[in-house]
Amino acid sequence: MKSGRPKARGLRQTMSDLHIWSGLLLGWLLYAMFLTGSLSYFRQEITQWMLPEAPPPRSVPDAAQAAQRVVDALGRVAAPGSPQWSIALPDARTPIVSAAWRLPQPEDDLLSAMPTLGPSFVPSNAVPVLAPPTLAPVLAPKPVPGQALNESPEGMPEDTLEDMQEDPLDAAPGLAPDPLREPIVEEARFDAVTGERLAGPAGRETQGGDFFYRFHFQFHYLPLQWGRWLAGLAGMFMLVAIVSGVITHKKFFADFFTFRWGQGLRAWLDAHNALSVLALPFHLMIAYTGLVVMMLTYLPWSPDLAFSNGGRGQLAKQMSAFLSVPPRSHVAAPLAPVAPMVRAAQQRWGAHNVARVIVALPGDAGARVVVARGDEQRVSYSPQYMVFDGRTGRLLAVREAVGPAAETRGVLYALHMGRFADGALRWLYFLLGLAGTAMVGTGLVLWTVKRRARLPEPARPYFGFWLVDRLNIAAIAGLPIGIAAMLGANRLLPLGLAQRAAWEIHILFIAWGAALAWAMGRPAKQAWIELLALAAALLALLPIVNALTTDRPLWASLRAGDWVFAGVELALLAFAALHAGLALRVARHRSKEPKAPPRSASPRPSPPALRDPEPQPTLREAAS
Amino acid sequence: MPLPFTFVPALGWRRALRALLRRAPLASRIVAAVLGGYALAALASVAALTLPLWRSERVLIGLLPSFAVYTLAVIWVFAVRSAARAWGGLLVAAVPLGAVALWVWQRTGTA
């Protein structure tokens, strides 16, 4: 894309360049985002697999009873004076109750007028999420802090709000501790039937599938806002790559047929095209809606301007279950039973369609209880909830409608998250996500395949080529190794290990980093074969490790019809087979190029060339 | 052990430097795409605040299409013949949006 003076270049040519470079530059991030995002569609199931002590659900627990039991338990467990509890009710996919509570902060008194559904929780509330409360952050990243301000703008200084807005969940102890920050939220899991807190041997410490979900949009080891901006940047690159790819496409086929770079290239192009074009609506939707999910983070200007003199709650109410709570009365009063409140919501929305209970100012006479609707029978995330007086149990308000623009956002949001999808539709989401992963992967490989043939000295390519080649190996073969290592660590790390949940994740990154080092130190073809084979082996080992370390081996799960456990392990075996197949194809691949000519001209000594006679054509025809 | 790669492909350092200079218009386009596109999207979202709707609706209706604005700006920047045209096109779009946005900003500033 040099400026056009020498020769005007066709639109398709420039768009092709734009497609290639926007796809490449953050391609490795996009690969990881696509893969972990796809896994996130089954994150409840992955979490169940990572908590093998929790018995498989016999039937869906009654939400009203479970809510009551966990509220009772929170009265004992949660920090006294906590301004807010949030309880994700159980359903068929999540037999465990996840609850989080905000720790009382010194400024709470100052803040007594603050709407209790503060920043961190808003999303979860808003979004009648079936997921653990920990997931809140995604949903309402930026706007929320301001929202807390809204109805009492004089309430507190901006920076304090900013503070509160930070994801509680990532500050939760034992999960992803942020050394710079005191935790403001704690969370725990509870048995839906007994209401017992699951801890220690009854519930190993793990982030479960939530890790993939969080990594997908904010990565790890990064300050949250950086991670989210990086994810947004990657999302924009994705969007640009898709649109420019579509503009390029018409000429695509003509290009292949005219240039005939050989079977290998053609095969990779065909694979890339098929994966991209067949699932194009999905890719376009997922890239755009991903950006919409966090649009207030990325473009804070207009909300900041529109609400520069307060009233931000109006926006918050359109986006999440947000309510203003009267100031803490400092009069103690027992909380009214919540089971009848949940029953009332079940009457309204259906027995299995109540997602969440939030208690604001529990134990205070001014307490409020919000019961939020689930995702059944609607493709929208816009808030629907009932508000009860926490002391008397009286219904105060029902909110079921938002403005058209807010509803549009709710629909786009829901399309990205896919939580409305059950059964076949959820599998379709998962498979389309994997198609996207493969689209990114084939695109990355294609970049090297195209250029490898033109290298003057394939054994010593220029730095950029070398880097792309090795990063491709590390991303495509390395990430599955990391994931398999993490799942193995979930079974093998001692249960009492301090920071166990964090260590499971550290092990993922250690394994991934080791794969990167290996990819850089070995000849490319060998690195592909070895790492793909290692990924296959580790993935295939997981069901065996599970059989040795738990009393729920695959055969027993199959016999018992426990499709969560069996499904996860069968999927692991399928992934193992996929990686083994790729490793075999790379190993079998033989370069069809004439042997030595380009190399003979080079001054390089021959031993390396002999030792490594065809290192470069690695994957060229692996898929042909 | 020799490095497994060479630093500059086929050309020498001097030619590489000249090649780099020739890429200045490309660098300019990249800046136009990444920052200019973002600015345009942000301006459009602020300009939408003039719509006669509820405040929250105005905000959301301005934000929802902003990523399409950004994407189109990037496509424009790389599709046109020269870097100057790329910047020119962005400016043509930014001036009216910027004027409206400035008006919104002033109004909220005084309100």
Side-chain angles (χ1 to χ4, degrees), chain A residues 2 160 222 257 276 363 498 570 616:
Chain A
K2 301 155 208 164
T160 326
L222 278 180
F257 291 118
S276 311
L570 291 175
Q616 293 309 325

Side-chain angles (χ1 to χ4, degrees), chain A residues 4 288 298 301 306 405 461 463, chain B residues 5-6 38 55 57 64 66 68 81:
Chain A
Y288 203 92
Y298 301 143
W301 317 105
F463 176 71
Chain B
F5 50 80
T6 59
Y38 180 81
R55 231 182 331 170
E57 288 287 286
L64 286 172
S66 53
R81 260 204 325 265

Side-chain angles (χ1 to χ4, degrees), chain A residues 1 3-4 11 14-15 18 229 236 239-240 243-244 247 288 291-292 295-296 298-299 301-303 305-310 314-315 318 403-406 408 412 459-463 466, chain B residues 2-9 22-23 25-26 29 38 41-42 45-46 49 54-57 59-61 63-68 70-71 74-75 78-79 81-83 104-105 108 111:
Chain A
M1 272 151 293
S3 84
L11 176 68
T14 55
M15 285 301 112
L18 181 58
W229 270 91
M236 272 311 300
L239 199 54
V240 167
V243 173
S244 55
I247 299 174
Y288 203 92
L291 290 161
V292 166
M295 66 187 179
L296 288 150
Y298 301 143
L299 289 161
W301 317 105
S302 69
L305 259 181
F307 301 105
S308 56
N309 31 19
Q314 195 199 346
L315 180 62
Q318 296 287 309
T408 307
L412 294 176
R460 284 191 79 210
Y462 56 94
F463 176 71
W466 178 85
Chain B
L3 285 174
F5 50 80
T6 59
F7 269 105
V8 180
R22 251 187 294 126
R23 300 264 158 110
L26 173 60
R29 286 203 209 213
Y38 180 81
S45 71
V46 172
L49 295 180
W54 303 338
R55 231 182 331 170
S56 63
E57 288 287 286
V59 169
L60 293 173
I61 230 167
L63 288 176
L64 286 172
S66 53
F67 303 106
Y70 198 164
T71 307
V74 174
I75 300 287
F78 288 105
R81 260 204 325 265
S82 69
V104 171
W105 182 65
T108 46

Side-chain angles (χ1 to χ4, degrees), chain A residues 26 29-30 33 216-219 225-239 287 290-292 294 297-298, chain B residues 67 70:
Chain A
L26 296 179
L29 276 189
L30 283 170
M33 287 169 73
H216 165 69
F217 63 87
Q218 63 191 19
F219 308 107
Q225 291 302 319
W226 291 27
R228 288 168 185 185
W229 270 91
L230 190 57
L233 193 66
M236 272 311 300
F237 272 66
M238 174 89 214
L239 199 54
L291 290 161
V292 166
M294 291 204 275
T297 300
Y298 301 143
Chain B
F67 303 106
Y70 198 164

Side-chain angles (χ1 to χ4, degrees), chain A residues 308-400:
Chain A
S308 56
N309 31 19
R312 198 159 177 140
Q314 195 199 346
L315 180 62
K317 274 182 186 151
Q318 296 287 309
M319 299 175 67
S320 56
F322 172 88
L323 80 169
S324 20
V325 175
R328 192 185 278 275
S329 69
H330 295 288
V331 177
L335 195 64
V338 293
M341 306 180 198
V342 176
R343 293 242 183 275
Q346 284 175 320
Q347 293 255 306
R348 190 171 192 94
W349 296 314
H352 301 302
N353 203 13
V354 179
R356 183 173 291 273
V357 170
I358 299 125
V359 183
L361 300 182
D364 189 272
R368 292 282 182 276
V369 179
V370 173
V371 182
R373 180 177 170 173
D375 299 317
E376 261 181 27
Q377 292 161 3
R378 63 179 192 137
V379 184
S380 178
Y381 251 45
S382 49
Q384 296 200 10
Y385 56 95
M386 303 167 87
V387 184
F388 297 89
D389 184 312
R391 190 169 51 86
T392 63
R394 196 165 54 89
L395 176 63
L396 298 177
V398 180
R399 285 190 53 86
E400 289 186 309

